[in-house]
Coordinates of all heavy atoms in Angstrom, one line a residue:
T1 N 74.5 33.1 26.9 CA 74.2 31.6 26.8 C 74.2 31.1 28.3 O 74.9 31.7 29.2 CB 75.2 30.8 26.0 OG1 76.5 31.0 26.5 CG2 75.2 31.3 24.6
F2 N 73.6 29.9 28.5 CA 73.4 29.3 29.8 C 73.9 27.9 29.9 O 74.0 27.2 28.8 CB 72.0 29.4 30.3 CG 71.3 30.8 30.3 CD1 70.6 31.2 29.2 CD2 71.6 31.7 31.3 CE1 70.1 32.4 29.2 CE2 71.0 32.9 31.3 CZ 70.2 33.4 30.2
R3 N 74.3 27.5 31.1 CA 74.7 26.1 31.3 C 74.0 25.7 32.6 O 73.7 26.5 33.4 CB 76.2 25.9 31.3 CG 76.9 26.5 32.5 CD 78.4 26.2 32.5 NE 79.0 26.8 33.6 CZ 79.6 28.1 33.7 NH1 79.5 28.8 32.6 NH2 80.1 28.5 34.8
V4 N 73.9 24.4 32.8 CA 73.4 23.9 34.0 C 74.5 23.5 35.0 O 75.4 22.7 34.5 CB 72.4 22.7 33.8 CG1 71.9 22.1 35.1 CG2 71.3 23.1 32.8
E5 N 74.5 24.0 36.1 CA 75.5 23.7 37.2 C 74.7 23.3 38.5 O 74.0 24.2 39.0 CB 76.5 24.8 37.5 CG 77.6 24.8 36.6 CD 78.6 26.0 37.0 OE1 78.6 26.4 38.1 OE2 79.3 26.4 36.1
R6 N 74.9 22.2 39.0 CA 74.3 21.7 40.2 C 72.7 22.0 40.2 O 72.1 22.4 41.1 CB 74.9 22.4 41.4 CG 76.3 22.0 41.7 CD 77.0 22.7 42.8 NE 76.9 24.2 42.8 CZ 77.8 24.9 42.1 NH1 78.8 24.3 41.4 NH2 77.7 26.2 42.2
G7 N 72.1 21.7 39.1 CA 70.7 21.9 38.9 C 70.2 23.3 38.7 O 69.0 23.6 38.8
E8 N 71.2 24.3 38.5 CA 70.8 25.7 38.4 C 71.3 26.2 37.1 O 72.3 25.7 36.6 CB 71.4 26.5 39.5 CG 70.8 26.2 41.0 CD 71.5 27.0 42.0 OE1 72.7 27.1 42.1 OE2 70.6 27.7 42.7
L9 N 70.6 27.2 36.6 CA 71.0 27.8 35.3 C 72.0 29.0 35.5 O 71.7 29.9 36.3 CB 69.8 28.3 34.5 CG 68.8 27.3 34.0 CD1 67.6 27.8 33.4 CD2 69.6 26.4 33.0
V10 N 73.2 28.8 34.9 CA 74.3 29.8 35.2 C 74.6 30.4 33.9 O 74.5 29.8 32.8 CB 75.5 29.0 35.7 CG1 76.7 29.8 35.9 CG2 75.2 28.3 37.0
I11 N 74.9 31.6 33.9 CA 75.4 32.4 32.6 C 76.7 31.8 32.3 O 77.7 31.9 33.0 CB 75.5 33.9 32.9 CG1 74.1 34.4 33.1 CG2 76.2 34.6 31.6 CD1 74.1 36.0 33.4
A12 N 76.8 31.2 31.1 CA 78.0 30.5 30.6 C 78.9 31.6 29.8 O 80.1 31.5 29.9 CB 77.7 29.3 29.8
R13 N 78.2 32.3 29.0 CA 78.9 33.2 28.2 C 78.1 34.5 27.8 O 76.9 34.4 27.7 CB 79.2 32.5 26.9 CG 80.1 33.2 25.9 CD 80.6 32.3 24.7 NE 79.3 31.7 24.2 CZ 79.2 30.9 23.2 NH1 80.4 30.7 22.5 NH2 78.1 30.3 22.7
I14 N 78.9 35.6 27.8 CA 78.1 36.9 27.3 C 78.8 37.3 26.0 O 80.0 37.4 26.0 CB 78.3 37.9 28.5 CG1 77.5 37.5 29.7 CG2 77.7 39.3 27.9 CD1 77.7 38.4 30.9
L15 N 78.0 37.5 25.0 CA 78.5 37.8 23.7 C 78.8 39.3 23.6 O 77.9 40.1 24.0 CB 77.5 37.3 22.6 CG 77.1 35.9 22.7 CD1 76.0 35.6 21.6 CD2 78.3 35.0 22.4
H16 N 80.1 39.6 23.2 CA 80.4 41.0 23.0 C 79.5 41.7 22.0 O 79.1 41.2 20.9 CB 81.9 41.0 22.4 CG 82.3 42.4 22.2 ND1 82.7 43.2 23.3 CD2 82.5 43.2 21.1 CE1 83.1 44.4 22.8 NE2 83.0 44.3 21.5
G17 N 79.0 42.9 22.5 CA 78.2 43.7 21.6 C 76.7 43.4 21.8 O 75.9 44.2 21.4
G18 N 76.3 42.3 22.6 CA 74.9 42.0 22.9 C 74.4 43.0 23.9 O 75.1 43.7 24.6
M19 N 73.0 42.9 24.1 CA 72.4 43.8 25.0 C 72.9 43.6 26.5 O 73.2 44.6 27.2 CB 70.9 43.5 25.1 CG 70.1 44.4 26.1 SD 68.4 43.9 26.3 CE 67.8 44.1 24.7
V20 N 73.1 42.3 26.9 CA 73.6 42.1 28.3 C 75.1 42.7 28.4 O 75.3 43.3 29.5 CB 73.6 40.6 28.6 CG1 74.4 40.3 29.8 CG2 72.1 40.2 28.7
A21 N 75.9 42.5 27.5 CA 77.3 43.0 27.5 C 77.2 44.6 27.5 O 78.0 45.3 28.3 CB 78.1 42.6 26.2
Q22 N 76.3 45.2 26.8 CA 76.3 46.7 26.8 C 75.8 47.2 28.1 O 76.2 48.3 28.6 CB 75.3 47.1 25.7 CG 75.8 46.9 24.3 CD 74.8 47.3 23.2 OE1 73.7 47.7 23.5 NE2 75.2 47.0 22.0
Q23 N 74.8 46.5 28.8 CA 74.3 47.1 30.0 C 75.3 46.7 31.2 O 75.3 47.5 32.1 CB 72.9 46.5 30.3 CG 71.9 46.9 29.4 CD 70.5 46.3 29.6 OE1 70.3 45.6 30.6 NE2 69.5 46.7 28.9
G24 N 76.0 45.7 31.1 CA 77.0 45.4 32.2 C 76.3 45.0 33.5 O 77.1 45.0 34.5
L25 N 75.2 44.5 33.5 CA 74.5 44.2 34.8 C 74.6 42.7 35.1 O 74.4 42.4 36.4 CB 73.0 44.6 34.7 CG 72.7 46.1 34.5 CD1 71.1 46.3 34.3 CD2 73.1 46.9 35.7
L26 N 74.8 41.9 34.2 CA 75.0 40.4 34.4 C 76.4 40.0 34.1 O 77.1 40.7 33.3 CB 74.0 39.6 33.5 CG 72.6 40.0 33.8 CD1 71.6 39.3 32.7 CD2 72.1 39.6 35.2
H27 N 76.9 38.9 34.8 CA 78.2 38.5 34.6 C 78.3 37.0 34.5 O 77.4 36.3 34.9 CB 79.0 38.9 35.8 CG 79.0 40.4 36.0 ND1 79.7 41.4 35.2 CD2 78.2 41.1 36.9 CE1 79.3 42.6 35.7 NE2 78.5 42.4 36.7
V28 N 79.3 36.5 33.8 CA 79.4 35.0 33.7 C 79.5 34.4 35.1 O 80.3 35.0 35.9 CB 80.8 34.7 32.9 CG1 81.1 33.2 33.0 CG2 80.6 35.2 31.4
G29 N 78.9 33.4 35.3 CA 78.8 32.7 36.6 C 77.6 33.1 37.4 O 77.3 32.4 38.4
D30 N 76.9 34.2 37.0 CA 75.6 34.6 37.8 C 74.6 33.4 37.6 O 74.5 32.8 36.5 CB 75.1 35.9 37.3 CG 75.9 37.1 37.7 OD1 76.8 37.0 38.5 OD2 75.6 38.1 37.1
V31 N 73.9 33.1 38.7 CA 72.8 32.1 38.5 C 71.5 32.8 38.4 O 71.2 33.8 39.1 CB 72.8 31.3 39.9 CG1 71.6 30.3 39.9 CG2 74.0 30.5 40.1

């Protein structure tokens, strides 16, 4: 999921078991 911070889209949450969590390439806070 994403949130808007200072006009940019930031990763707000990574759901356990989802594709992004399995790959481990993205992290909470990444823009």
Side-chain angles (χ1 to χ4, degrees):
T1 61
F2 303 98
R3 69 177 179 268
V4 179
E5 276 185 19
R6 296 180 301 278
E8 297 183 305
L9 291 175
V10 177
I11 295 178
R13 188 173 46 175
I14 296 175
L15 305 175
H16 180 74
M19 179 192 300
V20 169
Q22 290 174 3
Q23 291 182 0
L25 298 173
L26 299 173
H27 306 283
V28 171
D30 289 350
V31 177

